[in-house]
Amino acid sequence: LGLPAIWTEARRRGHSLDDVARWMSTAPAELAGLTRKGAIEAGRDADLAILAPEATFTVDPARLEHRNRVTAYAGKTLHGVVTSTWLRGQRIADQGVIGEPTGRLLQRDG
């Protein structure tokens, strides 16, 4: 829900998807010292979320893939539907179907 929640409020306040990408990928990667993350360019991990920015959905806690399905967003309509997710160039989720976990521990560079 993170990306749609941020995008919903960002667009309402006149911000762009570029702003959201900076807030949610570039800036955190820089802060954490993760030089392979946070940008789409040669030599970086291809971690991507494909977003349909104009699509909307209403949050239904019963459909969340969270361990604890309590959410402040229950019943709220959010903008932006994540249609697929890619981790290091491999699709790990597509149209709501989540694959096997492939994550690994990240360590600060340098």
Side-chain angles (χ1 to χ4, degrees):
L1 296 177
L3 180 55
I6 295 296
W7 173 232
T8 297
E9 280 305 303
R11 71 190 298 275
R12 186 179 70 79
R13 297 173 188 202
H15 291 282
S16 70
L17 279 173
D18 287 342
D19 293 331
V20 173
R22 188 175 62 255
W23 301 337
M24 296 190 75
S25 63
T26 306
E30 288 174 0
L31 180 66
L34 301 173
T35 59
R36 294 185 51 88
K37 305 290 185 184
I40 302 171
E41 58 188 39
R44 305 264 189 136
D45 290 348
D47 298 342
L48 306 168
I50 309 305
L51 183 75
E54 299 306 318
T56 62
F57 68 101
T58 301
V59 178
D60 176 1
R63 298 192 65 207
L64 295 178
E65 296 288 336
H66 300 177
R67 188 174 305 186
N68 181 346
R69 295 184 181 182
V70 174
T71 176
Y73 299 105
K76 296 194 187 301
T77 298
L78 299 179
H79 286 269
V81 173
V82 176
T83 60
S84 64
T85 306
W86 298 72
L87 178 64
R88 295 184 312 279
Q90 301 296 313
R91 186 169 42 205
I92 61 168
D94 188 39
Q95 303 298 325
V97 177
I98 300 170
E100 291 298 315
T102 60
R104 62 181 183 220
L105 181 63
L106 296 176
Q107 294 183 340
R108 178 182 289 264
D109 301 323

